[in-house]
Amino acid sequence: YRQALDVDSSDHRAWYGLGQAYELMDLPLYTLYYYKRALALRPKDARMWCAVGLCYEALGRPVDAIRCYQRAKDCHDIEGI
């Protein structure tokens, strides 16, 4: 994923992929960072909002998580939720 970002730093999939890698390593702060980078590139993608919401849940921040889930719902992206 890092090589993909070297080629194109605006590729949301690479940022999201790095987030997934850190999620597998159970490192929620790093996961959140990379998911937020992906979200900045795809702000209308419900999947991105849900991923960030899950990070906030893992960090014990339920209010922030709920806000993210609401934003995901507001995207009207049936496949993403």
Side-chain angles (χ1 to χ4, degrees):
Y1 295 112
R2 291 192 188 281
Q3 289 177 342
L5 289 173
D6 288 341
V7 173
D8 182 5
S9 63
S10 67
D11 185 349
H12 74 281
R13 295 167 300 181
W15 291 108
Y16 187 78
L18 280 169
Q20 288 179 310
Y22 282 103
E23 186 173 19
L24 290 172
M25 292 185 280
D26 198 27
L27 296 169
L29 284 175
Y30 287 97
T31 304
L32 180 61
Y33 171 79
Y34 289 107
Y35 281 170
K36 286 175 92 174
R37 294 292 301 257
L39 177 62
L41 295 167
R42 300 272 302 207
K44 295 183 181 181
D45 189 327
R47 286 170 291 248
M48 301 297 163
W49 284 107
C50 287
V52 172
L54 287 171
C55 286
Y56 281 131
E57 279 192 62
L59 292 167
R61 296 171 58 182
V63 173
D64 291 323
I66 290 168
R67 285 186 187 129
C68 288
Y69 298 141
Q70 183 60 49
R71 291 289 301 265
K73 182 178 160 266
D74 293 345
C75 290
H76 304 290
D77 178 8
I78 299 299
E79 291 180 22
I81 297 180

